[in-house]
């Protein structure tokens, strides 16, 4: 897979994942670092693309806004939350089983060193990045699968995390919804992401005549291009923004 060409943003609608794409993945969800360089880059991309830029993340939309600011579109919670630049918002009801799932996972984390529970508006993540031993992932998967079956919530695996969330959307559907409305409609979609949870987005932009850019190590993917990591991604976006 080749790096994306510098002129790829011309005429594009740009969609960006957050963790692992714009910021390095931290051992804890609240441990990411957002500096002035990134905030300035987000502002510049929005201006150069006439507002055709959105962040599409598994984090809550409000959290993305706290990190990066406002004035651009955001999809949070893996496509469940839609927040347009003009302030319009759309989101589902909280899942009925969420309170029980959070309580059960907190009890589980209290009994297993290194496990961390991240509560979200429409889901809950069980992180095991800091857990030691080969059995940590298997234990986290087992409790998450059991709760998914009992609560009816959707189970989604990410990098060192299992997440239970409301069903009904994904990042690809969020991108498709943005592409059906102004100012994104009529332009070529481009999506940058790192995780397997970004594959729905890669598939949607591909099917709409655009391209995905995988950030990180090579793997089987629907993306067309690849960048080595966060630093390379930020550097490419800075160059590509000036080529618009």
């Amino acid at each position: 897979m080749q790096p994306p060409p510098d002129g790829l943003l011309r005429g594009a609608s740009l969609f960006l994942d957050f963790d692992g794409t714009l910021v390095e993945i931290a051992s804890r969800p609240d441990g990411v670092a957002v500096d002035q360089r990134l905030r300035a880059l987000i502002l510049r991309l929005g201006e150069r693309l006439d507002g055709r830029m959105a962040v599409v993340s598994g984090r809550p939309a409000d959290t993305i806004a706290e990190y990066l600011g406002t004035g651009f579109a955001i999809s949070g919670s893996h496509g469940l939350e839609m927040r347009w630049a003009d302030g319009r918002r759309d989101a589902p009801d909280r899942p009925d089983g969420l309170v029980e799932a959070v309580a059960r996972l907190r009890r589980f984390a209290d009994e297993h060193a290194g496990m961390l529970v991240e509560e979200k508006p429409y889901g809950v993540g069980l992180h095991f990045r800091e857990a030691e031993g080969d059995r940590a992932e298997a234990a986290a998967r087992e409790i998450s699968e059991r709760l998914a079956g009992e609560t009816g919530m959707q189970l989604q695996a990410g990098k060192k995390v299992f997440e239970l969330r409301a069903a009904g959307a994904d990042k690809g559907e969020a991108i498709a919804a943005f592409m059906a409305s102004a100012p994104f409609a009529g332009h070529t979609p481009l999506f940058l992401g790192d995780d397997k949870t970004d594959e729905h987005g890669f598939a949607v932009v591909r099917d709409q005549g655009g391209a995905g850019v995988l950030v990180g190590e090579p793997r089987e993917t629907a993306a067309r291009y690849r960048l080595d990591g966060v630093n390379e991604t930020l550097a490419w976006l800075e160059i590509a923004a000036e080529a618009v």
Side-chain angles (χ1 to χ4, degrees):
M1 299 175 68
Q2 297 297 315
D6 293 346
L8 196 60
L9 288 186
R10 296 192 192 106
S13 286
L14 176 63
F15 303 96
L16 299 165
D17 175 45
F18 183 68
D19 293 279
T21 300
L22 297 179
V23 296
E24 298 287 357
I25 294 176
S27 59
R28 300 175 64 87
D30 59 357
V32 300
V34 176
D35 58 17
Q36 187 55 38
R37 176 196 182 190
L38 177 54
R39 294 189 185 94
L41 174 60
I42 291 296
L43 180 62
R44 186 158 70 255
L45 287 167
E47 292 173 346
R48 300 287 290 182
L49 293 170
D50 296 324
R52 302 188 311 274
M53 187 210 68
V55 174
V56 181
S57 173
R59 288 183 182 258
D62 286 346
T63 300
I64 295 299
E66 290 172 4
Y67 278 124
L68 298 178
T70 57
F72 58 93
I74 301 171
S75 175
S77 301
H78 298 287
L80 290 169
E81 295 179 272
M82 299 292 291
R83 175 171 167 166
W84 282 264
D86 61 8
R88 289 177 295 135
R89 304 184 70 158
D90 186 24
D93 295 330
R94 283 170 63 89
D96 292 337
L98 181 55
V99 172
E100 174 65 17
V102 170
R104 295 269 295 278
L105 288 178
R106 289 199 186 283
R107 290 197 295 270
F108 174 84
D110 287 342
E111 298 169 356
H112 294 77
M115 298 285 184
L116 176 67
V117 175
E118 179 189 12
E119 186 173 358
K120 300 182 179 183
Y122 307 97
V124 56
L126 179 62
H127 297 261
F128 53 93
R129 186 172 300 276
E130 294 183 339
E132 297 181 359
D134 296 336
R135 299 180 61 184
E137 180 174 358
R141 181 188 297 275
E142 193 277 332
I143 184 67
S144 299
E145 289 179 344
R146 186 191 318 156
L147 285 172
E150 294 176 4
T151 64
M153 297 174 68
Q154 181 175 326
L155 176 60
Q156 182 165 283
K159 291 182 175 178
K160 300 292 185 179
V161 60
F162 291 105
E163 185 170 340
L164 294 163
R165 64 180 183 88
D170 56 45
K171 291 184 179 181
E173 292 182 30
I175 291 172
F178 282 134
M179 286 297 298
S181 65
F184 303 96
H187 297 270
T188 304
L190 177 68
F191 178 45
L192 280 67
D194 71 304
D195 205 343
K196 291 184 178 179
T197 61
D198 297 315
E199 287 298 327
H200 295 106
F202 292 151
V204 164
V205 298
R206 176 198 63 198
D207 294 346
Q208 293 196 16
V213 179
L214 174 65
V215 178
E217 295 296 323
R219 59 171 169 81
E220 185 175 347
T221 179
R224 182 186 303 176
Y225 304 106
R226 189 181 71 83
L227 291 162
D228 285 338
V230 170
N231 288 335
E232 291 76 15
T233 298
L234 298 181
W236 179 80
L237 285 169
E238 288 170 337
I239 293 171
E242 298 310 310
V244 172

